[in-house]
Amino acid sequence: MQPSQPQNPDPNALNIELSEAIAEGEYANLALIAHSSSEFVVDFIRMMPGAPKAKVKARIILTPEHAKRLLSALEENIQRFEQSYGPIKLHQETPAYPINFGGAVGEA
């Protein structure tokens, strides 16, 4: 006997694999963003108090189109979060990170 197959599989369904190691996630409390004419590079960094170095925990490279889609998805999810849990409060002062990779640097 063969395993049963779904009756009408969705032809647009995306089968996503999530390994156990990736599912654990990485904590990051800083993101640095750089871009060229063809890509955005987002480095997720973990800074710890008193530590002499901050480590890049993940680097994601996106096309400009996908970067804009990510921005839209984040905005939508932040709106949903705030509807459920109230406004996210930001500190007034922007932290001064002594990090510059020789180009335009965004902050998150």
Side-chain angles (χ1 to χ4, degrees):
M1 194 176 248
Q2 294 184 348
S4 63
Q5 297 290 323
Q7 291 299 93
N8 293 318
D10 181 354
N12 296 321
L14 183 60
N15 185 4
I16 298 173
E17 182 179 326
L18 181 63
S19 71
E20 194 173 321
I22 296 296
E24 288 181 15
E26 286 286 351
Y27 175 75
N29 53 9
L30 173 66
L32 293 179
I33 303 167
H35 67 276
S36 69
S37 61
S38 60
E39 62 195 17
F40 278 75
V41 178
V42 185
D43 285 333
F44 292 95
I45 299 164
R46 182 183 309 157
M47 294 181 59
M48 300 305 285
K53 285 186 178 181
K55 290 194 174 199
V56 173
K57 302 308 283 184
R59 171 174 278 184
I60 306 299
I61 303 168
L62 304 151
T63 64
E65 182 179 359
H66 284 102
K68 195 160 191 176
R69 284 187 178 133
L70 175 61
L71 172 64
S72 178
L74 284 170
E75 287 174 334
E76 181 180 323
N77 278 273
I78 288 171
Q79 286 178 347
R80 289 181 189 167
F81 177 93
E82 290 183 328
Q83 286 173 353
S84 296
Y85 304 104
I88 299 170
K89 296 180 177 111
L90 297 176
H91 297 286
Q92 294 298 328
E93 69 279 351
T94 301
Y97 297 112
I99 302 172
N100 186 345
F101 292 107
V105 176
E107 47 184 86

